[in-house]
Amino acid sequence: MTFSIAARCPRTGQLGVGALTARPAVGKLVAHVQAGAGAVATQATPNPFLAYDGLPLLGDGHSPQDVLTELLARDPGREVRQAGMVDRQGRSYAYTGSRAKDWAGHHTGPGYAVQGNRLVGPETLAEIVRVFEESGELDLAERLVLAIEAGEGTGGDRHGARSATVTVIGDQPYPLWDVRVDDAVRPARELRRLHGVFREEVLPTIRRLPTRDDPMGEAARHALG
């Protein structure tokens, strides 16, 4: 099972994916984000090419609906796929194949696409949507962690959970946030802990890295005096 949310923050333009699954390494399998293009979650029986081929098309200005429709039309495994896409404008689209494991479904809104399979029921997605929509004043990474916690709090998967992830891209090609729990008994709880560690110890370093507009970066400038 997996539930995930691909999202864009209208205040900052940041793009991200949050996800939780009953298998290890959900961040590797599900979450794909590209600056200036969009965010893609591919799950159920994942097809990474929905992201690798889809993100450049989103970057060229094609809508998530057009991109996902085109890519799925030539995917022979589409009936066991599930995917959600959001582009840099906040347009969203999601798909659930007819043979994704019950309960399976998706929900889209301005700036987000939420999807899940092998869940206890639609209440998981409903709670994710509620929490995400009500937390618009917070940073995107925090909203994604809250969404994952909310989804797990409904019961989520009938078979438990094992890994969780939050990835957020700002205006640079490297992630602003990349927090992964690859194997844990309570992955949402561990994600919350690591989110705090990342915020205090890693995020300040990332904000001092070189950027396209500042090739030296604040950290190197300070080191060189």
Side-chain angles (χ1 to χ4, degrees), residues 96-119:
T96 299
S98 63
R99 295 182 63 183
K101 293 183 179 179
D102 285 336
W103 187 89
H106 57 263
H107 185 94
T108 61
Y112 67 84
V114 179
Q115 41 284 323
N117 65 84
R118 209 175 74 178
L119 302 179

Side-chain angles (χ1 to χ4, degrees), residues 125-197:
L125 300 192
E127 185 64 5
I128 291 171
V129 168
R130 183 190 69 80
V131 168
F132 188 77
E133 289 184 340
E134 292 180 358
S135 59
E137 76 283 0
L138 302 176
D139 290 341
L140 182 58
E142 172 67 18
R143 296 176 73 192
L144 294 176
V145 174
L146 287 170
I148 291 169
E149 291 173 327
E152 190 180 47
T154 66
D157 179 26
R158 301 189 305 271
H159 301 280
R162 195 167 170 188
S163 65
T165 190
V166 162
T167 302
V168 173
I169 291 278
D171 58 358
Q172 301 302 313
Y174 50 78
L176 186 61
W177 292 81
D178 189 359
V179 186
R180 300 188 182 192
V181 178
D182 285 333
D183 188 11
V185 176
R186 297 289 299 275
R189 178 181 293 180
E190 180 65 1
L191 185 72
R192 168 59 70 185
R193 185 187 72 82
L194 290 177
H195 173 269
V197 173

